[in-house]
Amino acid sequence: MVEWKHSRTLVPYPDAIAQMETRVDAMIAGTADEQIWLLEHPPLYTAGTSSNVNDLTDPDRFPVYTSKRGGQYTYHGPGQRIAYAMLDLNRRGRDVRKFVWALEEWVIQTLAEFNVVGERREGRVGVWVVRRDKPLTAFGLPHEDKIAAIGVRLRKWHSFHGICINVEPDLCHYDGIVPCGIAEHGVTSLVDLGLPVTLNDLDIALQHTFTKVFDAPKD
């Protein structure tokens, strides 16, 4: 059974980490169910385990937190839906790549609810959108913008962290980092793509598509 938790106010990053730690410890002890936590953070940057300090181009702009999730630098802030996925991979399959693929698929199917084509790219974790509304690059290729980031951590095959999808964040806030270490591509959001989607709209889609991607766990 998966519990869905929804925070309506901005959650400080350290508080979120502490709550996830407590929840996962309880799951490991067998005293709590799996949980999907939908929330927003105040503006901040996080540095994953693969981060390069040179990718933090404006360290004084927002608070910067070191994170034990995989990945590099990313931004969190209002207008971005975060879905922290605390799931038991002992029951869902002990396969990290398959789990990351499932998280990407969850995002892709959620975006499809709004007729947005989200795509994977080899060597780039996350979900990307081809911008055919923009001029071609200098190499004659379409622009690609990132719309969702993924970062996970495991403890005894129980997952922390999860996904974040840009609904209507201030995209200028990404200027203080090289998002996920990729300088040659941009960042977008559902509203930036011209879609009047709200966080509530996205939450409904996330719950609908979750059951399609993540089969009921088998004991």
Side-chain angles (χ1 to χ4, degrees):
M1 180 177 178
V2 179
E3 175 193 348
W4 286 76
K5 177 181 177 180
H6 198 161
S7 294
R8 301 290 180 180
T9 58
L10 301 180
V11 179
Y13 190 75
D15 292 355
I17 297 301
Q19 290 188 49
M20 278 196 289
E21 295 268 359
T22 299
R23 182 69 179 214
V24 168
D25 284 344
M27 289 169 58
I28 293 171
T31 58
D33 292 324
E34 296 176 307
Q35 184 183 79
I36 302 295
W37 184 11
L38 303 177
L39 68 150
E40 295 171 274
H41 286 309
L44 58 92
Y45 298 131
T46 65
T49 56
S50 302
S51 61
N52 181 339
V53 67
N54 293 324
D55 291 338
L56 181 61
T57 58
D58 190 353
D60 299 322
R61 186 164 189 178
F62 298 123
V64 181
Y65 297 96
T66 299
S67 174
K68 294 181 180 179
R69 63 159 174 81
Q72 303 185 51
Y73 279 99
T74 194
Y75 165 78
H76 295 312
Q80 180 192 76
R81 172 53 77 220
I82 293 172
Y84 285 140
M86 287 154 276
L87 301 176
D88 183 0
L89 301 192
N90 291 295
R91 302 172 65 194
R92 295 179 177 274
R94 294 184 177 187
D95 188 326
V96 177
R97 290 187 179 183
K98 182 179 179 181
F99 179 54
V100 172
W101 184 94
L103 291 173
E104 291 174 339
E105 186 66 19
W106 185 22
V107 173
I108 289 168
Q109 292 200 25
T110 298
L111 295 175
E113 297 281 302
F114 306 100
N115 296 315
V116 174
V117 178
E119 300 178 356
R120 297 176 179 86
R121 287 293 178 266
E122 186 69 28
R124 294 189 243 149
V125 177
V127 178
W128 302 79
V129 176
V130 176
R131 300 299 303 270
R132 303 195 186 280
D133 56 324
K134 292 185 176 181
L136 297 178
T137 68
F139 299 100
L141 300 173
H143 278 274
E144 295 180 351
D145 288 344
K146 191 169 190 175
I147 195 168
I150 294 172
V152 299
R153 178 187 171 201
L154 298 178
R155 176 186 295 163
K156 295 185 178 180
W157 292 103
H158 290 74
S159 65
F160 291 67
H161 301 275
I163 66 174
C164 61
I165 302 175
N166 289 340
V167 178
E168 193 179 8
D170 186 338
L171 297 179
C172 292
H173 289 177
Y174 281 90
D175 294 346
I177 58 172
V178 178
C180 301
I182 301 171
E184 62 270 27
H185 298 287
V187 181
T188 190
S189 68
L190 289 168
V191 171
D192 182 54
L193 293 173
L195 301 170
V197 177
T198 66
L199 287 168
N200 186 62
D201 294 333
L202 186 73
D203 293 344
I204 293 170
L206 282 167
Q207 283 198 253
H208 175 65
T209 56
F210 181 86
T211 56
K212 294 181 178 181
V213 176
F214 293 90
D215 294 333
K218 297 179 176 63
D219 292 319

